Amino acid sequence: MPGSLYETSNLERGGNNRKKKIEEFSRSSREKLVQSKNKMFSKFTSILQHAVEALAPSLPLQEDFVYHWKGITHYYIETSDDKAPVTDTNIPSHLEQMLDILTQEEAERESGETGPCMEYLLHHKILETLYTLGKADCPPGMKQQVLTFYTKLLAHIRQPLLPHINVHRPVQKLIRLCGEVLAAPTENEEIQFLCIVCAKLKQDPYLVNFFLENKSKRPEIKSPAATEGVMESVLAPDTGQSQADHPGQPQAAAAASTSSPTNNNNTNNYNLVTSLLNLTKSPDGRIVVKACEGLMLLVSLPEPAAARCLTENTDLCELLTDRLVSFYKALPPSMDPLDIETVESVNWGLDVYNLKEDAAVFMGKRALISFLSWLDYCDQLIKEAQKSAAAVMAKAVRERFFVSVMEPQLMQTSEVGILTSTALLNRIVRQVTSEALLQEIVYFLLGEDKEAETAAAIVQNPLRHRLIEHCDHLSDEISIMTLRLFEQLIQKPNQHILHSLVLRSLEERNFLENKPQEEREPLENGQPHDAVDLEEDPLFGDDLSPDSRLSGSDWFGSSPQHSPDHAKSDGKTEVHKIVNSFLCLVPDEAKSSYHVEGTGYDTYLRDAHRQFREFCGICQRWDWRGNPKPLEKCNLDMAFYEGHFLKVLFDRMGRILDQPYDVNLQVTAVLSKLSLLPHPHLHEYLLDPYINLAPGCRSLFSVIVRVVGDLMLRIHRIPDFTPKLLLVRKRLLGLEPEGVTIDHSTLLEGVIVLEEFCKELAAIAFVKYHAAASSSP
């Protein structure tokens, strides 16, 4: 029937299909079985070979070494399947045995003596041959094996190998193969190889000259005929005779031309750096860190030719700056300054990624950590680099990052943008430790001028002018952040910072009165007629005439000079007068600290002692003599200008009774840091209450005197002044809960800051005198 015929046809067709599938499966199974048998045979042969070697009498090391090398070369003669992976062959085993033999040979011989196996490897250019096989990656995976062999050879052999032409020439060639392909399967082996080469150069820096290759050299010939010749040398039977024994081989000439250090020109390739730079672009973070470590080793090499080549003929400077710029531009346009300031310290290569947690803390944390981490790497790289290379890299960071990217951010008019960029700059300054990079940042911020500052010239450096103006900005947040920036700068070990901001204005001491005593304006109660009347203050009586006061050179100096009739005890008496002049500046009715425990003068003494010692450590390398410049050598006729920075600080200090509490704290913090600096002109100008100021000049003490005079007039206008003052102090200390708003709270908080600041200045003056007295002979 048709239905049954149709069914029969379907059955036959289904049977044929099943038969085909069975045949295909059988064929596939047979192929897999053959491959499995080949692998098992290869493993069995290797095991049998090791067993025979263990049972049979051991061959001399050289014969054993030659045997394993022939085992590799015979593979290329006998095999017809060049697609099988290298792991299915005996090549890895032979290479491992060759390494073991070389290591054993070196251990059995005296230090530095080259054995016959090593001589064989060098004379027969085995490394050159292996490079050719690795470059061709024949069989597949051979490049990985060659890189591993080179790495272990350089790592395990103690005798210097790189000076040999038949070592450093193939090593150079293999270096060029590294980093060619991004995310290559051999990246791990490539970076291990490059890093061991860097480590060897660190041990013997002169060898780096062999790796500066002249660009005018002809590239490797890649014609088929040349490739055939190389393969013939691999496949030719090894006679055991060195190529040097054959006539017509210009071996010595080749060695002389290749192994000699490069000429002192700027046309060299530094392929080791180029390959490491390529690997810093790897998507694998571990590879990137290892590549950065390799670069760190190379920049520290002291060879001038290598340092010049590093900065002029490689893309290292571009890599550093371009990444810094890209990380900075990835930051959010506005960030909380507190987040920027308090984010955990970062060390390059050690930061852990957790995008979910980072985003939960604050938006942009991951981007901020990435930026700070790369900044830390740039800083450490410049810190470790050879001096000339460090200067070039630091200048590149200044020009390509700070000038091009950060300066427009700092000069903008948006308050949010100014605040964020200033907070980031503050964090950058705090983090940088390398001398060269810090110097470039300082020149970027403050300029390079060294001559005395004038009021007309302050606008010549727009960024410096703008930053100092920001210390007195309408936005209190911007003012506080900019003051913090300058506080950080003052504490940095860079002499130009202090010279630019304050010292160049005080260098000639022309803030002092230059007239003879008889020509000076008459004193009223011991003070000039235009000074604030403090006749009720016993410190300003006739007993403290200018002749009886202690000069700056006497009360502070590395070796204060005492005349025979001026006993040391008198000096102590004078310094106590100076201390008391600060402690008694604030009238008793405006003092509140004695009502609260733990706010005494002694706590400032401990802090001042510690901080002064730290500043002395920072400044000990600078030529700051203990005594001020002699007046006869000073140009006292030149008009005195206190400098833009001190002008803004003094202006701010003069408004301490009318400014927010946080602003006052930051202004006084910067002034106290300046007072701690061990420079005689700063002691005189900031800490000597009894200097004779020239007309129109002011000092820190005279500014505070005027504030106190204003305070004395305003106290009587505030009812219940003292109880309110005490309540405000307790609230600031957290001893009283916040309650009803107190009238004149800004003024009361200013009075508290003023009292504490005077105690701090008194402590600094005492500590400095004590340090000077203890160091005197």
Side-chain angles (χ1 to χ4, degrees), residues 386-398:
Q386 191 258 9
K387 196 169 182 180
S388 63
V392 173
M393 288 189 286
K395 197 162 188 178
V397 173
R398 173 188 172 183

Side-chain angles (χ1 to χ4, degrees), residues 495-565:
Q495 191 172 3
H496 184 71
I497 296 170
L498 302 166
H499 183 79
S500 175
L501 290 176
V502 290
L503 293 179
R504 59 178 172 153
S505 299
L506 308 178
E507 198 167 16
E508 296 299 325
R509 298 177 70 194
N510 47 348
F511 48 84
L512 296 174
E513 174 66 77
N514 190 26
K515 294 178 182 178
Q517 182 68 38
E518 58 273 11
E519 295 182 19
R520 293 177 187 171
E521 295 181 8
L523 301 179
E524 298 178 6
N525 298 321
Q527 295 293 300
H529 70 87
D530 60 342
V532 177
D533 185 10
L534 293 176
E535 59 182 4
E536 294 184 4
D537 191 335
L539 289 171
F540 293 90
D542 296 332
D543 59 322
L544 284 180
S545 63
D547 296 331
S548 66
R549 70 179 178 84
L550 183 67
S551 69
S553 60
D554 288 331
W555 71 270
F556 187 87
S558 57
S559 301
Q561 302 296 319
H562 298 283
S563 60
D565 57 345

Side-chain angles (χ1 to χ4, degrees), residues 575-636:
V575 81
H576 281 303
K577 289 180 180 179
I578 291 169
V579 169
N580 286 332
S581 67
F582 282 109
L583 291 178
C584 298
L585 257 179
V586 179
D588 288 341
E589 59 266 38
K591 290 181 179 178
S592 56
S593 60
Y594 57 87
H595 293 290
V596 181
E597 289 186 15
T599 58
Y601 164 68
D602 56 332
T603 59
Y604 287 104
L605 278 175
R606 288 192 293 270
D607 288 341
H609 179 72
R610 175 183 55 81
Q611 293 179 43
F612 180 64
R613 187 171 52 198
E614 290 173 358
F615 270 113
C616 286
I618 292 171
C619 306
Q620 63 182 352
R621 296 183 294 114
W622 305 338
D623 185 21
W624 284 2
R625 293 171 185 166
N627 297 318
K629 184 179 179 181
L631 284 175
E632 58 270 17
K633 294 184 179 179
C634 294
N635 183 7
L636 297 177

Side-chain angles (χ1 to χ4, degrees), residues 490 498 502 556 612 615 619 622 624 672-680 682-683 768:
I490 290 168
L498 302 166
V502 290
F556 187 87
F612 180 64
F615 270 113
C619 306
W622 305 338
W624 284 2
S672 68
K673 292 292 189 301
L674 290 174
S675 302
L676 279 161
L677 289 165
H679 193 285
L682 276 172
H683 312 320
K768 284 186 167 183

Side-chain angles (χ1 to χ4, degrees), residues 44-45 53 59 142 169 241 253 280 303 331 392 395 423 477 551 580 584 634 649 702 727 734 747 760:
F44 176 75
T45 305
E53 289 173 357
L59 294 170
M142 189 62 185
R169 185 164 58 185
Q241 188 177 17
T280 61
E303 286 295 308
L331 296 172
V392 173
K395 197 162 188 178
E477 282 188 296
S551 69
N580 286 332
C584 298
C634 294
L649 289 179
S702 73
L727 179 59
L747 182 143
E760 187 175 13

Side-chain angles (χ1 to χ4, degrees), residues 19-78:
K19 185 175 180 182
K20 287 181 182 177
K21 287 181 180 179
I22 291 170
E23 288 176 354
E24 288 175 1
F25 177 76
S26 299
R27 191 182 307 110
S28 174
S29 299
R30 282 196 301 275
E31 288 175 357
K32 288 182 180 178
L33 187 61
V34 169
Q35 290 179 1
S36 177
K37 283 181 179 180
N38 289 339
K39 286 183 182 179
M40 290 178 63
F41 179 74
S42 175
K43 290 180 181 177
F44 176 75
T45 305
S46 178
I47 293 169
L48 185 62
Q49 176 184 326
H50 284 93
V52 170
E53 289 173 357
L55 294 173
S58 59
L59 294 170
L61 286 180
Q62 184 179 3
E63 291 183 27
D64 203 6
F65 186 81
V66 173
Y67 164 77
H68 286 293
W69 176 238
K70 286 182 177 179
I72 294 173
T73 57
H74 287 169
Y75 167 82
Y76 290 93
I77 298 171
E78 296 169 357

Side-chain angles (χ1 to χ4, degrees), residues 618-676:
I618 292 171
C619 306
Q620 63 182 352
R621 296 183 294 114
W622 305 338
D623 185 21
W624 284 2
R625 293 171 185 166
N627 297 318
K629 184 179 179 181
L631 284 175
E632 58 270 17
K633 294 184 179 179
C634 294
N635 183 7
L636 297 177
D637 294 327
M638 185 173 68
F640 174 67
Y641 176 59
E642 59 205 2
H644 192 193
F645 185 58
L646 282 176
K647 177 187 180 302
V648 170
L649 289 179
F650 285 177
D651 289 347
R652 275 290 200 183
M653 189 68 207
R655 301 198 303 269
I656 193 171
L657 302 179
D658 303 297
Q659 292 174 153
Y661 177 70
D662 290 336
V663 172
N664 286 335
L665 286 180
Q666 197 56 53
V667 170
T668 54
V670 174
L671 285 168
S672 68
K673 292 292 189 301
L674 290 174
S675 302
L676 279 161

Side-chain angles (χ1 to χ4, degrees), residues 700-716:
L700 177 58
F701 190 80
S702 73
V703 171
I704 298 175
V705 165
R706 292 185 180 278
V707 172
V708 171
D710 183 28
L711 173 62
M712 292 172 71
L713 295 173
R714 296 166 70 173
I715 282 177
H716 305 293

